[in-house]
Amino acid sequence: MKKLICAKDIEILHSEGTQLVLTDKQTIITPSAKDLAEEYHMTFKETKPENDHSMSDTQDITKDQFVSLLKKLLIEAGMSEFQDRPFDYQEHSSGLKIIRGSTIKLSPLNDDVENVRYREIVTAGAGHFNLGLLEIEASHFNEEDTFESVNYVVEGDLHVTIEGAVFTANKGDVIYVPQHSAIQWSTTEKVTILSGKLKSGV
């Protein structure tokens, strides 16, 4: 971005006792500013940024890499609000919240199982209840000593195994899981589940 130095800027610098004015390749100095600087015996000096390279010397950078770098710099500067939000939502002062489902970003449930992803989207009652979106893709995972939960199959087919018995739940089905159950969730394709858990006894 171009930087303009005018006569008024020279007046201010002179009143501050500045004799040397640093500029760069992007600096534009007006003729009146040059004349006034000469009258005040002020000089201009062009500086070069460290590691100055022409565009031909730099590696190509993608838009995603640039955005990632910019966010990292902003976060390091303490501007945490620039971090990626896991989803977009609207909220009313009453506590009402509308979560935009298409914006929810899921993360692996744990490092060992990449094909099981989850995102908690609502926490209520001092953490005694939470609602999250679970996605399983051609995989399975086990839950031991579960919390009481109600699970709605948003998309796909799900196999639920409990005490050796296997049940199949399809799109639109609701699964109630009692507290302290040992259960396995699995699918050969891809399934999305809206899971609400009541952490009674917390």
Side-chain angles (χ1 to χ4, degrees):
M1 184 176 178
K2 300 287 186 181
K3 178 183 176 182
L4 179 67
I5 295 179
C6 62
K8 184 178 179 181
D9 297 317
I10 297 298
E11 287 284 5
I12 293 171
L13 291 170
H14 175 66
S15 68
E16 293 173 349
T18 302
Q19 288 299 115
L20 180 64
V21 183
L22 299 178
T23 65
D24 57 30
K25 290 181 180 180
Q26 300 295 314
T27 304
I28 299 173
I29 307 169
T30 65
S32 59
K34 288 180 180 179
D35 292 342
L36 192 58
E38 186 176 346
E39 182 181 332
Y40 289 145
H41 306 290
M42 297 169 65
T43 56
F44 297 98
K45 181 179 179 181
E46 184 177 310
T47 60
K48 292 184 178 180
E50 292 183 11
N51 302 321
D52 185 29
H53 300 289
S54 65
M55 287 300 290
S56 60
D57 293 331
T58 60
Q59 290 184 328
D60 291 336
I61 183 169
T62 67
K63 179 182 176 182
D64 288 342
Q65 288 172 326
F66 177 75
V67 171
S68 177
L69 177 61
L70 181 58
K71 286 179 178 177
K72 182 179 178 182
L73 291 172
L74 291 170
I75 291 167
E76 288 177 353
M79 303 174 74
S80 58
E81 64 269 24
F82 286 91
Q83 296 186 60
D84 280 335
R85 292 194 301 181
F87 49 78
D88 292 335
Y89 64 90
Q90 289 179 287
E91 189 171 18
H92 185 263
S93 57
S94 65
L96 179 143
K97 183 182 287 186
I98 298 176
I99 296 165
R100 303 302 175 189
S102 62
T103 69
I104 297 173
K105 299 172 185 176
L106 305 179
S107 296
L109 196 60
N110 59 59
D111 296 334
D112 299 327
V113 187
E114 285 288 331
N115 289 348
V116 180
R117 295 174 286 273
Y118 179 78
R119 173 64 62 190
E120 185 173 296
I121 54 178
V122 175
T123 301
H128 294 176
F129 169 81
N130 65 43
L131 182 70
L133 200 63
L134 174 68
E135 183 180 270
I136 309 169
E137 186 172 2
S139 187
H140 71 275
F141 81 101
N142 300 320
E143 280 191 292
E144 303 290 339
D145 195 18
T146 62
F147 294 112
E148 184 177 15
S149 69
V150 176
N151 307 271
Y152 174 73
V153 182
V154 179
E155 197 70 50
D157 301 318
L158 175 69
H159 303 298
V160 183
T161 303
I162 184 169
E163 296 181 356
V166 181
F167 299 89
T168 299
N170 309 108
K171 178 179 178 179
D173 289 347
V174 176
I175 307 157
Y176 169 74
V177 179
Q179 189 176 9
H180 304 308
S181 299
I183 209 163
Q184 183 186 80
W185 309 82
S186 63
T187 182
T188 55
E189 297 181 353
K190 183 177 179 179
V191 64
T192 304
I193 307 154
L194 187 63
S195 179
K197 293 186 178 182
L198 179 63
K199 298 181 180 181
S200 55
V202 174

